[in-house]
Amino acid sequence: MKVWNATEKSASRQAIAALEGGIGISTVMQVDGDGGFRMSQNGPGIFEITCESTLPPLVLTGGIHGDEKAGISILDSLIDDIVSGNQRVKRSVLLMFGNLRAMQTNGFKGCRCIEDEVGETSNLNRCFGRGYFETPRCYGEHRANEMMRAVEDFADTHGCPEVIDIHQSFAVPTLRDVRGGVADRSDYTYAMLYPVEDDLASALGWIHEQYSDIVAGAVVNDMQLRHHTFAGYMASTFGSRAATFEQGNIGYVDHSTFTPQLEDNLSRKIAGETKLDKMEGFDVWRYLRQIRKETKDFTFIDDEGNRTNAPLDFLPLPAGRIARDGHREHELRMGERLLFANSTVPIGDRAAAVIERLHTDLVPAP
Ligand SMILES: [Zn+2]
C-alpha cells in the first residue's frame, strides 16, 4: 500500500506520472464511522470509491479532451477532498481522468487529442460504442479500452451508474447572447442528454431536479443515431442516465463558466444529497444532425460564400449555406443553429452539430 500524499501533487498529475513509470499510487483508505468507504486507484487516473448505499452509483469523468480544464480541476479537487477527509461520501463513485497523454501536452496546458493523423478515433470521445479495440492504433483507442473495462467492472459491482462527463466548448456565448436582455454575463453552460429508452420526460426531469442550478440549456440527442461519446455509450450500453456537461469556454474554470458551482453540486451528490433545494428552468434544444468534415479544405462560409470564422454555439444564423467541404456545400434551414463548430477537427470527425429549439412543457422555461 502506498500512502497518498495529497499535498504533493494533484491526482491528475500523479496519474500522468504513473503513466511514465513514476509515482505508482495505490491508495487504500478506510474512513471510520458513518458508513465508511474505501477508495483505490484501479489504473492510471481511475479512482473507485466503494460505499454501502441505496443511492445509484455515480461515474464522473473529466479530461476526455485534454485541454478542457473544468473536469480535470473538479476531479482533482473532489479527490483531494475525499482523500483528506473533507468530503462526506455516501455512495459509490468512479472518478476517471480521460486522455492523460493529451492532458500532459504543452506543459500540462493540454490539447484536445494527440495523434490526429489516425483520424476520428484520435479523439477519445469518438472511441466508445465500437466495442473493444483489439489492436489499438493510438492512445485514444488504448485509453477507451481501459475506461470501458473500468466502467464494466464498476457497473458489475455496484449496479447501473448515473454519468456526468465534464467538457468545455470552443465558442460558448453568454446567457445574454442566447436569451437577450438577460443581465447575467456568465457563460451559457449546458448538458448534452442521452434519453434512456427515449424517455425524454425522465431525462429532462433528472436534469431539472438535480442539475438545473448549473445548466442554462439541455440538448437532447437523437437516440436513433449511434453514439461514440462516453455519455452516449453509457446510456446505450448500461441504460445509464448520462449527460455530457459543457462548462463554458475551454481553459477557463472561474465562476462565469459555472465550474466551481458544478464542483459544489457534485460534492453534494457524493455526500448523498441528490435533489436541489431550488430548481431552475432551462432552455431545451434538439440535436438534428452533424456536419462531418470529409476533406482538408473544409471551411465555414458566409452567405456570399466567403471563408469565415466558425459561428458561436447556439446563436441565431440565417438560413442558407454555412460551410464548404471540397466541392460540397452544407446548408442550414430556418431556425437551425450550430454547436461545436470547428473546421480544424481531424478529417472524418464532426465539424459542427446542427440543433434547433425544442418547445416542451416538460420543464419550466428559464
Ligand atoms: Zn470535450
Side-chain angles (χ1 to χ4, degrees), residues 243-268:
T244 307
F245 276 19
E246 301 283 348
Q247 296 307 119
N249 265 307
I250 285 179
Y252 295 91
V253 293
D254 59 351
H255 262 74
S256 77
T257 67
F258 280 76
T259 302
Q261 295 94 319
L262 177 57
E263 185 184 323
D264 284 349
N265 181 308
L266 293 174
S267 168
R268 292 194 300 273

Side-chain angles (χ1 to χ4, degrees), residues 5-164:
N5 184 348
T7 56
E8 188 181 320
K9 263 183 179 172
S10 63
S12 58
R13 291 295 183 96
Q14 292 191 44
I16 290 166
L19 262 189
E20 307 298 332
I23 315 164
I25 328 157
S26 165
T27 307
V28 179
M29 56 182 303
Q30 208 75 41
V31 170
D32 296 332
D34 214 20
F37 66 92
R38 182 174 210 261
M39 180 171 181
S40 58
Q41 184 173 212
N42 297 347
I46 299 174
F47 299 87
E48 181 173 355
I49 296 169
T50 300
C51 178
E52 286 291 326
S53 177
T54 53
L55 291 170
L58 199 56
V59 171
L60 305 176
T61 43
I64 278 189
H65 295 133
D67 55 349
E68 298 173 12
K69 290 287 183 195
I72 300 167
S73 91
I74 289 173
L75 260 56
D76 272 337
S77 175
L78 290 173
I79 292 167
D80 196 44
D81 284 347
I82 292 163
V83 170
S84 57
N86 294 325
Q87 166 70 50
R88 245 159 67 90
V89 178
K90 285 289 171 191
R91 64 203 294 187
S92 294
V93 191
L94 186 69
L95 302 109
M96 289 195 288
F97 294 100
N99 195 329
L100 297 172
R101 296 241 180 250
M103 284 159 55
Q104 182 185 26
T105 304
N106 297 330
F108 293 95
K109 190 163 171 279
C111 64
R112 183 170 172 79
C113 26
I114 55 167
E115 302 164 294
D116 282 22
E117 67 281 3
V118 174
E120 198 180 4
T121 54
S122 65
N123 179 347
L124 177 54
N125 215 24
R126 303 290 177 272
C127 288
F128 298 96
R130 302 175 189 270
Y132 281 93
F133 296 95
E134 300 243 327
T135 45
R137 297 169 305 151
C138 61
Y139 180 72
E141 295 181 357
H142 168 81
R143 186 60 173 164
N145 283 348
E146 289 183 341
M147 293 176 73
M148 286 188 285
R149 242 174 246 122
V151 286
E152 278 179 16
D153 288 350
F154 185 74
D156 269 357
T157 311
H158 304 285
C160 174
E162 294 184 8
V163 179
I164 302 294

